[in-house]
């Protein structure tokens, strides 16, 4: 199969994680004594932040695959591991479809610095490339810089941005944006929000208020509540996802900054524990560094450079 640009960027992004998982394991070891290999892989999965529960599940699964493998089967343990990882993550293979409602509304949440605003710019750019009209709502009213950052994305991708001055009520901003999106026949409205921890109850209540504001127009809104989490925070990202999910009933995840970390195994742990669709992954800061999550491609890129 010819290497597509889309896939090579993913491989490149996952280089550090792939190195943590497979670097220095000689090709012969994948076909050799499986006891030694399994011990080595267990350590490496833990180092890549797959977490103890999921690591145990993977090692058990790999053992059973090795046991069942026929002698005539030419595949090594690496191919079986890839299959095992892909099957675990397949539960989260569910690309976001935005064509059901109009406007399709998306609320983007997460902690400070996770990559919310950047991800919004990338997703909007992608949707515009698919001939959908997009409007952005500057629901992060905490800092003036946050509004400016979204406005600068809006200019770059030529999408309208609805904003009020910093300090404004974010639910009011989103409400405003919804009316404007409706009036302008916009396909997708994406609302940015200020960073918060799932433990900050008052700030989680604010998100519920934004949710209610959207529901005044459309009881189904927001159609997507997307949590953005940074892969490099490892097991902490899993905790965040659990906390946000409990408070808001997430419908999707985006895992960012996979390019800068050896902790790409976080995605496996999240897929195993949560089964919330992983809509996208971030593999760089650029406008095109967003990929629709595909469990099979992800598993392949984790193991084969
Ligand atoms: N390397 C890398 N950097 C990213 C990615 N996504 C976001 N960033 C960077 O992370 C920083 C914080 O992003 P921002 O969108 O402002 O986070 P927010 O506070 O959640 O809105 C910025 O410098 C982004 O360029 C990614 O996938 N890879
Ligand atoms: Mg932001």
């Amino acid at each position: 199969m010819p290497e597509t640009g889309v896939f090579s960027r993913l491989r490149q992004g996952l280089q550090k994680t792939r190195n943590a998982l497979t670097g220095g394991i000689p090709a012969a070891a994948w076909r050799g004594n499986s006891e030694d290999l399994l011990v080595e892989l267990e350590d490496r999965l833990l180092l890549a932040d797959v977490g103890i529960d999921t690591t145990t599940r993977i090692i058990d699964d790999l053992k059973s695959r090795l046991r069942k493998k026929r002698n005539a089967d030419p595949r090594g343990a690496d191919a079986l591991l890839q299959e095992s990882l892909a099957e675990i993550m397949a539960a989260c293979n569910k690309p976001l479809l935005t064509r059901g409602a109009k406007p399709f509304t998306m609320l983007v949440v997460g902690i400070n610095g996770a990559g919310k605003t950047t991800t919004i710019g990338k997703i909007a750019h992608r949707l515009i490339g698919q001939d959908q009209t997009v409007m952005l709502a500057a629901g992060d009213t905490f800092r003036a810089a946050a509004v400016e950052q979204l406005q600068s994305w809006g200019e770059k991708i030529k999408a309208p941005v609805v904003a009020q001055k910093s300090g404004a009520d974010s639910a009011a901003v989103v409400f405003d944006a919804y009316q404007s999106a409706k009036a302008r026949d916009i396909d997708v409205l994406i609302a940015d929000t200020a960073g918060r921890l799932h433990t900050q109850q008052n700030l989680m209540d604010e998100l519920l208020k934004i949710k209610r504001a959207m529901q005044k127009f459309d009881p189904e809104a927001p159609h997507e509540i997307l949590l953005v989490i940074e892969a490099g925070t490892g097991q902490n990202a899993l905790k965040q996802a659990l906390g946000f999910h409990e408070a808001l009933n997430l419908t999707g995840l985006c895992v960012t900054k996979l390019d800068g970390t050896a902790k790409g195994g976080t995605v496996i742990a999240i897929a195993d524990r949560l089964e919330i669709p992983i809509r996208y992954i971030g593999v760089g800061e650029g406008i095109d560094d967003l990929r629709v999550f595909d469990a099979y491609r992800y598993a392949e890129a984790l193991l084969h450079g």
Side-chain angles (χ1 to χ4, degrees), residues 49 111 229-238 240 256 261 263 266:
D49 251 38
I111 70 164
I229 37 181
E230 187 183 332
T233 57
Q235 289 292 301
N236 200 16
L238 177 63
Q240 281 167 36
T256 59
T261 178
K263 297 188 173 188
T266 307

Side-chain angles (χ1 to χ4, degrees), residues 4-13 117-130 153 156-157 254-257 259 280-293 297:
T4 64
V6 171
F7 197 19
S8 64
R9 190 74 191 85
L10 174 65
R11 281 180 205 267
Q12 201 182 319
T117 307
T118 308
T119 299
I120 288 170
K122 291 173 179 174
I123 294 175
H125 173 63
R126 201 186 160 84
L127 295 174
I128 291 168
Q130 297 167 349
W153 271 105
K156 206 181 309 181
I157 61 176
C254 174
V255 185
T256 59
K257 308 193 197 182
D259 51 305
Y280 302 101
I281 53 176
V283 290
E285 289 186 279
I287 191 165
D288 290 312
D289 294 332
L290 185 82
R291 295 288 171 269
V292 169
F293 179 69
R297 289 195 151 179

Side-chain angles (χ1 to χ4, degrees), residues 19 37 40 68 84 86 96 104 114 139 146 149 166-167 191 194 196 200 212 218 244 248 257 262 287 295:
N19 196 44
L37 180 67
E40 176 73 29
K68 286 187 208 141
S84 173
L96 181 65
F104 183 94
Q149 190 189 356
S166 61
R196 68 202 72 215
Q200 293 172 303
R212 282 195 301 274
D218 180 349
F244 271 94
L248 295 172
K257 308 193 197 182
I287 191 165

Side-chain angles (χ1 to χ4, degrees), residues 168-298:
D169 175 24
S170 51
V173 174
V174 175
F175 191 80
D176 236 28
Y178 194 107
Q179 279 177 305
S180 170
K182 193 89 194 163
R184 294 172 65 169
D185 206 28
I186 294 281
D187 293 318
V188 184
L189 172 68
I190 311 179
D192 196 8
T193 61
R196 68 202 72 215
L197 298 170
H198 65 268
T199 48
Q200 293 172 303
Q201 194 53 50
N202 56 331
L203 295 179
M204 295 309 275
D205 288 346
E206 185 189 68
L207 291 177
L208 292 171
K209 188 174 162 197
I210 299 175
K211 204 171 157 178
R212 282 195 301 274
M214 289 174 136
Q215 285 167 346
K216 279 186 194 145
F217 291 98
D218 180 349
E220 303 288 319
H223 303 95
E224 175 83 352
I225 304 183
L226 184 81
L227 174 70
V228 176
I229 37 181
E230 187 183 332
T233 57
Q235 289 292 301
N236 200 16
L238 177 63
K239 280 200 199 102
Q240 281 167 36
L242 286 163
F244 271 94
H245 190 42
E246 194 177 330
L248 295 172
N249 247 326
L250 302 172
T251 55
L253 300 173
C254 174
V255 185
T256 59
K257 308 193 197 182
L258 280 159
D259 51 305
T261 178
K263 297 188 173 188
T266 307
V267 171
I268 309 169
I270 288 171
D272 183 32
R273 295 286 305 281
L274 275 154
E275 298 194 2
I276 299 170
I278 299 174
R279 308 292 197 185
Y280 302 101
I281 53 176
V283 290
E285 289 186 279
I287 191 165
D288 290 312
D289 294 332
L290 185 82
R291 295 288 171 269
V292 169
F293 179 69
D294 177 317
Y296 297 91
R297 289 195 151 179
Y298 193 85

